[in-house]
Amino acid sequence: MRPLRPWNEYRDAAMNDSSQRLSGIPRIHIQLMHKAIFLLALVTLVATCGPAAPSADVFAQYTGTTAGDLFGEPLAPAGDLNGDGHPDWLAGGTQRLTQKIQPGYVQALSGLGGEPLHTFHGHSGHDRFGTALISIEDVDGDGVREIAVGAPYANQGRPDAGSVYLFSGRTGSPLWTVHGERGGDGLGVALGPLGDLDQDGIPDLAVGALQPAMSPDRDAGPGYVLALSGATGEQLFLARGDEETRDFGRELAPLGDVDGDGLPDLAVSAPASQAVLYVSGRTGKTLQRLEDLGAGFGETLAATPDANGDTWPDLLVGAPLDSSKAPLAGAVHVFSGLDGSSLRVFRGTQRGERLGGSLAALNDLDADGIPEIAVARSGGGALRILSGAQGQELMRLEPTQEQHDFGAGLASAGSESGQHPPHLAVGFPGIGPKENSSGGLLIVVLKR
């Protein structure tokens, strides 16, 4: 590991570079470093005006291991796996652009020290292990959250059937594995926490299968979602899409108990049909359908804290292909998690902006009582923090030239101890002209 430059050198270099200013707001570029190198003092990224303006500091940067890894494309908070009071992270490298055919991998990374706590590997070349990642509450009784990983192209007896793996967050040992129903299912494209559906005291989870046509001799299906027991991986319910809900299961997000039956429910996207469905956690049946709200509607989903004052968690839906304001400008919708009513819509204004291509929900940062939204465009660009009330930009983080496809992965987390401010993980997997990059991610600390 090479020595760190003093933090004031980063600050002074950035502040003296006029190319890093736009509209009077300094944008500080952090140079690409070896993986898990930390800044000894936090470097302020963006300043805005106003008494309640939030701020952000870069805390750490990690990079992948092999050219074409796409490390940092899938990201998720891991909770506190090592008991140090700081949020840890899950980052995947699906390795679909590596020269040598090999399985994907996932690392659980310490949010404080930066070292890998666990590394998990897929079982077959180009299985896209790590496409979907979540952590769920403790399953095996050791007091530590567990780690679920999707590999939608896994070939475990049935070509491209896909698989889902659950690992111990404490030891990294496998707890169980579930495979797709048939070849070509693509099980594991999305994962979502469900709470305790079967009332056994152990949290459960949902997994999506898109059923794409993998080859000319296989028919594409509309997709399906499985609810799986966290204890055993046993199927609790199966919800299937239909001709009116194509791509069913592309994205999943948890809801509260929408139908009042005492069990948590689930939001499921079907972007090929421009629809998002609220699905019962008890039966898998559709409770409500949100639809026809712009091209690409449902490409991204994220649960968000209460955005309308009813004490109920709500839902963010991205529509990056929406062209209401300008061609492919995109949009982000905010819906009530209770009744599905539209609360707010924030639309992109620039051609090709693709707002909503990547998004994450944040807590309230500007003291107006409404949670904010982190967004990035499809294909990379600046990370933007938007006001959840009005949609105006509160802060922005520009990538360096090496951080290609910046913002393709986004994930937010707070500390379980409550003693540390919220953190945001920003991935730059290196897709496109920089395919020789291994990718990486930044950890950004958000402050009011």
Side-chain angles (χ1 to χ4, degrees):
M1 182 178 292
R2 67 186 180 189
L4 293 177
R5 292 170 59 189
W7 74 271
N8 57 299
E9 290 187 20
Y10 289 104
R11 177 200 62 193
D12 295 342
M15 297 300 290
N16 291 331
D17 183 355
S18 61
S19 69
Q20 295 167 339
R21 293 176 177 268
L22 182 62
S23 301
I25 300 176
R27 287 146 166 88
I28 295 179
H29 294 184
I30 306 303
Q31 74 173 46
L32 194 65
M33 297 176 287
H34 290 300
K35 55 186 169 182
I37 290 182
F38 286 74
L39 301 184
L40 298 179
L42 299 181
V43 181
T44 301
L45 291 171
V46 179
T48 57
C49 299
S55 64
D57 301 313
V58 166
F59 184 59
Q61 176 168 292
Y62 310 87
T63 59
T65 59
T66 305
D69 270 3
L70 302 185
F71 188 70
E73 184 178 19
L75 294 172
D80 182 10
L81 299 179
N82 56 359
D84 63 3
H86 291 261
D88 301 317
W89 299 94
L90 302 175
T94 57
Q95 297 197 322
R96 70 173 186 265
L97 295 182
T98 52
Q99 293 183 355
K100 181 180 179 181
I101 296 177
Q102 52 192 330
Y105 69 94
V106 170
Q107 287 190 331
L109 300 166
S110 167
L112 179 60
E115 70 276 4
L117 303 174
H118 305 297
T119 300
F120 310 102
H121 294 277
H123 297 286
S124 58
H126 285 182
D127 58 2
R128 300 200 185 175
F129 180 88
T131 292
L133 304 170
I134 60 167
S135 112
I136 64 172
E137 295 290 342
D138 179 28
V139 165
D140 57 7
D142 62 7
V144 178
R145 297 175 67 92
E146 321 301 358
I147 298 166
V149 180
Y153 289 80
N155 298 306
Q156 298 295 306
R158 295 178 287 265
D160 301 324
S163 299
V164 177
Y165 307 85
L166 188 70
F167 298 96
S168 166
R170 179 181 291 277
T171 67
S173 301
L175 299 177
W176 50 253
T177 303
V178 172
H179 305 300
E181 290 182 323
R182 64 170 192 169
D185 270 6
L187 185 75
V189 72
L191 292 165
L194 277 177
D196 184 10
L197 297 186
D198 55 5
Q199 301 295 288
D200 63 355
I202 296 175
D204 304 311
L205 67 156
V207 55
L210 286 186
Q211 296 185 303
M214 302 288 190
S215 63
D217 59 343
R218 299 178 190 165
D219 294 330
Y224 63 86
V225 172
L226 292 179
L228 302 177
S229 163
T232 65
E234 178 184 1
Q235 178 180 311
L236 301 178
F237 73 67
L238 184 152
R240 291 190 182 276
D242 54 32
E243 288 303 314
E244 295 183 351
T245 54
R246 292 171 294 122
D247 270 0
F248 184 78
R250 169 69 65 85
E251 290 282 321
L252 306 173
L255 298 170
D257 179 14
V258 174
D259 56 3
D261 65 358
L263 295 176
D265 301 310
L266 184 71
V268 181
S269 79
S273 297
Q274 298 180 22
V276 173
L277 293 85
Y278 288 10
V279 171
S280 167
R282 183 182 295 276
T283 66
K285 293 183 178 179
T286 298
L287 302 174
Q288 189 161 0
R289 176 174 174 140
L290 318 173
E291 61 183 344
D292 299 328
L293 292 169
F297 180 75
E299 286 284 349
T300 52
L301 294 181
T304 184
D306 177 26
N308 62 347
D310 64 359
T311 72
W312 204 265
D314 296 311
L315 182 70
L316 303 178
V317 181
L321 305 182
D322 183 280
S323 297
S324 300
K325 293 285 188 180
L328 302 181
V332 174
H333 299 257
V334 187
F335 290 97
S336 165
L338 182 58
D339 61 17
S341 59
S342 177
L343 302 179
R344 301 173 190 87
V345 183
F346 306 126
R347 300 190 187 278
T349 58
Q350 299 180 6
R351 182 186 185 95
E353 185 177 350
R354 297 178 186 256
L355 185 70
S358 185
L359 57 82
L362 304 172
N363 291 326
D364 176 24
L365 298 175
D366 58 2
D368 66 357
I370 296 176
E372 321 308 348
I373 305 169
V375 296
R377 58 164 290 175
S378 300
L383 167 72
R384 300 162 62 200
I385 307 297
L386 304 182
S387 162
Q390 303 295 330
Q392 73 267 26
E393 184 177 300
L394 300 178
M395 65 178 73
R396 172 183 293 235
L397 173 59
E398 299 279 1
T400 67
Q401 292 184 348
E402 293 87 356
Q403 293 167 342
H404 191 78
D405 208 20
F406 191 74
L410 289 178
S412 60
S415 67
E416 294 185 9
S417 66
Q419 298 177 351
H420 306 286
H423 292 56
L424 181 67
V426 186
F428 48 95
I431 302 171
K434 289 279 187 178
E435 288 176 3
N436 61 327
S437 169
S438 62
L441 66 141
L442 292 178
I443 305 299
V444 178
V445 180
L446 304 170
K447 300 184 295 183
R448 279 169 63 166

